[in-house]
Amino acid sequence: MSLLVEMNEKAMALGVPLTVHIDVTYRCNERCVHCYLDHDDHGEMTTAEIKNVLDQLAEAGVFFLVFSGGEVFMRRDFLELVEHARKLQFNVKVKTNGVMIHEAEARRLRELGVEQMQLSVYSHRPEVHDAITKLPGSLKRTVDSIKFLKAQGLKVTLSNVLMTVNRNDHKGTQALAKELGIAYTLDPTVTPMIDGNTSNLYLRVDDKNLDQLFADPELVGDVDEYCKPPAPVDDDALEGYSCSAGHTACYISPYGDVFPCVQFPLPTGNVRRQKFADIWYRSPQMQEVRSIKIKDLTVCSSCSHAGTCSRCPGLAYMEGSMRGPSTTDCEKSFHRTGIPSANMLRKASMASAGPLVQILPMTV
């Protein structure tokens, strides 16, 4: 058993918030077409407020801290916040587009002992990447930042979201990551806006693209192993949980709102008005999230994929119920194994049954 797995298991058993993702701002110098955030500033936490929250997180036992946004460097105090976090001994990961990182910023991040930097690149072609970010020259500036960070010896990951507008470019983007000597991740999930607006979902890729992704050994490793049919669902699987959100991880917005996850917009409290530990341990909403096991899911508990699905309770919540299925993850399970999910079979059955109410001709 790896140390990380052991840490997660112990944190789950003890109810410790092992990982916290905090967005320090929603402001951004890019306007990515798929982004789920409102980029206006509605009253971000001050430097002192965020430092106080970090103190509380350390006291609660948090170990992994993810700084993200918006664009983190839109805050002039960002490196001061990272310095405070490192003094508290957090393992720090930073998500950024890198556009505002130059040699001095890269050097300071190395001095502070940041564990990992994750930068978003959507295409190896400037005309595609820059059209997605709506910032001319952004690909070159991001790649330059990656080079600065690498020169400082920092661990860097290139993160790519697969969408209709860049679906033919992921091979080239992966090759760019290899050329730069950094890790590469690809995610075909386009998330609805944080306020529930689904207008950006037209960017989700189609079935053909998913089939190609799951058959690519450079992305999934052993294709036969990755795409094999799910094992029979046993009692252990049904007694488990589908996600760490609210169990060992949570998300804090720039305004102090606490959610189970950045993709799970269920309000559970606000650190401007409450102590973090009070929200984590005593929020009714957080306790409800923790109470839900796979056996309690209305459709998924009867699904053959129940033990292996990447079901996101946040996406399910945005579809109408945190106990319901996440259609996006149902589709991933199907395209990975070729076996329809219980949710897909239910929808097909409902469609074939026709309307539930028969409209009869009026008689006089």
Side-chain angles (χ1 to χ4, degrees):
M1 180 186 296
S2 71
L3 178 60
L4 185 57
V5 170
E6 186 177 351
M7 288 175 67
N8 273 290
E9 289 186 356
K10 287 187 176 180
M12 180 75 79
L14 296 171
V16 174
L18 186 64
T19 303
V20 169
H21 173 150
I22 180 168
D23 280 349
V24 294
T25 183
Y26 284 161
R27 290 175 288 139
C28 194
N29 48 4
E30 296 182 336
R31 288 294 181 270
C32 297
V33 295
H34 64 291
C35 186
Y36 52 86
L37 298 175
D38 170 6
H39 295 301
D40 292 329
D41 180 359
H42 300 289
E44 297 169 0
M45 287 188 286
T46 64
T47 306
E49 284 180 311
I50 294 178
K51 286 183 176 180
N52 178 260
V53 170
L54 296 179
D55 292 341
Q56 292 183 50
L57 297 182
E59 187 177 349
V62 174
F63 181 73
F64 297 105
L65 186 70
V66 180
F67 279 125
S68 187
E71 170 47 48
V72 293
F73 280 94
M74 293 294 284
R75 287 193 65 124
R76 294 183 179 181
D77 62 355
F78 179 62
L79 289 175
E80 182 181 347
L81 296 175
V82 175
E83 181 178 0
H84 190 74
R86 290 295 297 134
K87 284 179 180 177
L88 294 168
Q89 300 296 306
F90 288 116
N91 176 293
V92 174
K93 175 180 178 179
V94 176
K95 293 186 176 184
T96 173
N97 58 39
V99 168
M100 299 173 72
I101 296 177
H102 301 92
E103 291 187 56
E105 290 81 10
R107 183 169 58 253
R108 185 60 180 144
L109 290 164
R110 174 64 272 173
E111 291 169 353
L112 290 172
V114 169
E115 173 67 21
Q116 184 181 1
M117 300 291 298
Q118 179 176 309
L119 285 81
S120 298
V121 175
Y122 305 111
S123 172
H124 60 296
R125 295 186 293 157
E127 63 270 23
V128 176
H129 176 92
D130 295 1
I132 290 172
T133 65
K134 299 184 181 178
L135 180 64
S138 57
L139 176 61
K140 181 182 184 306
R141 291 163 70 181
T142 297
V143 170
D144 285 346
S145 291
I146 291 172
K147 292 176 180 177
F148 293 144
L149 294 165
K150 278 281 293 178
Q152 292 298 323
L154 283 155
K155 186 188 301 182
V156 184
T157 296
L158 187 158
S159 174
N160 184 13
V161 177
L162 188 70
M163 301 170 272
T164 55
V165 288
N166 67 347
R167 62 176 175 263
N168 297 319
D169 286 16
H170 69 88
K171 285 288 189 183
T173 311
Q174 186 174 14
L176 172 63
K178 185 176 292 186
E179 177 187 330
L180 292 167
I182 61 176
Y184 173 80
T185 65
L186 180 65
D187 187 356
T189 305
V190 175
T191 303
M193 301 289 285
I194 201 163
D195 63 2
N197 186 315
T198 59
S199 60
N200 59 344
L201 298 190
Y202 75 95
L203 292 164
R204 285 180 173 172
V205 294
D206 60 21
D207 297 350
K208 181 180 179 182
N209 292 126
L210 290 176
D211 289 336
Q212 291 172 342
L213 287 185
F214 296 146
D216 186 343
E218 291 190 16
L219 293 174
V220 304
D222 186 333
V223 175
D224 291 337
E225 177 66 22
Y226 185 76
C227 296
K228 69 181 182 181
V233 179
D234 57 22
D235 290 341
D236 286 343
L238 292 174
E239 288 293 331
Y241 307 95
S242 61
C243 179
S244 64
H247 293 275
T248 60
C250 70
Y251 163 68
I252 302 176
S253 83
Y255 314 119
D257 296 308
V258 180
F259 304 94
C261 173
V262 68
Q263 289 190 158
F264 198 160
L266 171 69
T268 66
N270 186 288
V271 291
R272 280 175 156 165
R273 299 185 293 272
Q274 304 157 271
K275 293 294 186 182
F276 172 78
D278 288 339
I279 298 169
W280 178 259
Y281 290 109
R282 286 177 275 282
S283 160
Q285 295 86 1
M286 204 70 86
Q287 290 177 349
E288 181 184 6
V289 170
R290 287 192 199 108
S291 72
I292 303 171
K293 297 183 178 182
I294 291 176
K295 67 180 182 181
D296 302 317
L297 304 178
T298 52
V299 177
C300 304
S301 58
S302 64
C303 184
S304 61
H305 295 286
T308 58
C309 180
S310 60
R311 175 188 176 274
C312 172
L315 293 178
Y317 173 77
M318 284 191 272
E319 283 190 37
S321 171
M322 69 176 83
R323 290 176 170 79
S326 161
T327 298
T328 299
D329 292 301
C330 291
E331 291 171 353
K332 288 179 187 176
S333 291
F334 170 63
H335 289 284
R336 179 169 57 84
T337 65
I339 299 173
S341 70
N343 184 43
M344 296 173 72
L345 294 172
R346 179 179 65 95
K347 288 183 175 181
S349 177
M350 290 171 63
S352 65
L356 297 177
V357 178
Q358 182 179 7
I359 300 177
L360 299 174
M362 183 181 295
T363 58
V364 294

